[in-house]
């Protein structure tokens, strides 16, 4: 086996490279075991460890962006509400105008909150999907490691 010439992109790319290395490995005669390049697989495992924090920090950035958008929407709603209050005070001589301003301000706040809630739900959904993908990928790696250890344990107890 030769060293990979390029680094795979993302955790899924690293896992695909590990899978390719195992699939392409030379089979042991009269056995289901294969010979793999230890250095190559260890390098791929290190790459997976390097990539995982990057992708988790990207998910954190998505959450931070959603929170910033919610904060901006709330600030905009607060500004609109403040402007409505000032306008209502200026037109206090007409009760209908004051009532309408309060209703409009409440509607703007409700709309901003609904937008913020939607952004948070979308961000949470995105993060949940990404984490589910990571969980699946890590489950595959764990299954491969457990299978390898089971084969090794079988050989060790068979000796």
């Amino acid at each position: 086996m030769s060293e990979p010439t390029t680094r795979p992109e993302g955790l899924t790319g690293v896992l695909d490279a590990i899978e390719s290395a195992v699939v392409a490995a030379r089979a042991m005669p009269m056995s289901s075991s294969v010979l793999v390049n230890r250095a190559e697989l260890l390098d791929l495992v290190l790459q997976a460890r390097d990539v995982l924090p990057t992708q988790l920090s990207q998910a954190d950035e998505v959450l931070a962006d959603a929170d910033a958008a919610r904060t901006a929407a709330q600030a905009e709603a607060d500004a609109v509400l403040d402007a409505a209050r000032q306008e209502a005070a200026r037109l206090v001589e007409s009760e209908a105008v004051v009532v309408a301003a309060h209703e409009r301000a409440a509607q703007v706040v409700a709309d901003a909150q609904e937008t913020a809630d939607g952004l948070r739900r979308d961000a949470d959904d995105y993060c949940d999907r990404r984490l589910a993908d990571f969980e699946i990928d890590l489950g595959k790696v764990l299954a491969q490691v457990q299978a390898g250890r089971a084969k090794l344990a079988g050989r060790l107890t068979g000796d």
Side-chain angles (χ1 to χ4, degrees):
M1 302 243 152
S2 63
E3 289 293 318
T5 55
T6 61
R7 289 181 66 97
E9 285 294 320
L11 183 59
T12 303
V14 173
L15 293 172
D16 290 344
I18 291 172
E19 180 182 19
S20 295
V22 172
V23 168
R26 191 168 45 111
M28 296 289 295
M30 300 186 344
S31 168
S32 63
S33 298
V34 294
L35 291 175
V36 293
N37 183 319
R38 180 183 300 182
E40 179 182 356
L41 286 181
L42 287 176
D43 178 57
L44 290 170
V45 169
L46 285 174
Q47 289 178 38
R49 285 189 178 136
D50 288 343
V51 168
L52 188 58
T54 301
Q55 291 185 350
L56 288 176
S57 67
Q58 288 172 348
D60 286 343
E61 288 176 18
V62 168
L63 282 175
D65 289 347
D67 194 43
R70 185 191 62 76
T71 301
Q74 186 65 47
E76 183 180 343
D78 290 344
V80 169
L81 184 58
D82 188 50
R85 284 184 182 139
Q86 290 175 8
E87 183 67 16
R90 191 176 66 78
L91 300 172
V92 76
E93 67 274 353
S94 171
E95 185 177 321
V97 171
V98 172
V99 169
H102 282 291
E103 289 173 355
R104 176 67 181 132
Q107 183 61 45
V108 167
V109 169
D111 290 348
Q113 189 61 48
E114 183 178 323
T115 299
D117 291 344
L119 287 170
R120 182 174 297 280
R121 276 191 308 275
D122 290 347
D124 289 347
D125 183 53
Y126 172 79
C127 289
D128 183 58
R129 286 192 318 269
R130 295 302 303 158
L131 289 172
D133 290 345
F134 296 151
E135 182 179 22
I136 290 168
D137 292 340
L138 290 175
K140 289 177 184 177
V141 170
L142 178 62
Q144 290 174 353
V145 168
Q146 287 173 337
R149 290 191 71 208
K151 285 181 184 179
L152 182 60
R155 280 194 277 174
L156 289 175
T157 59
D159 287 342

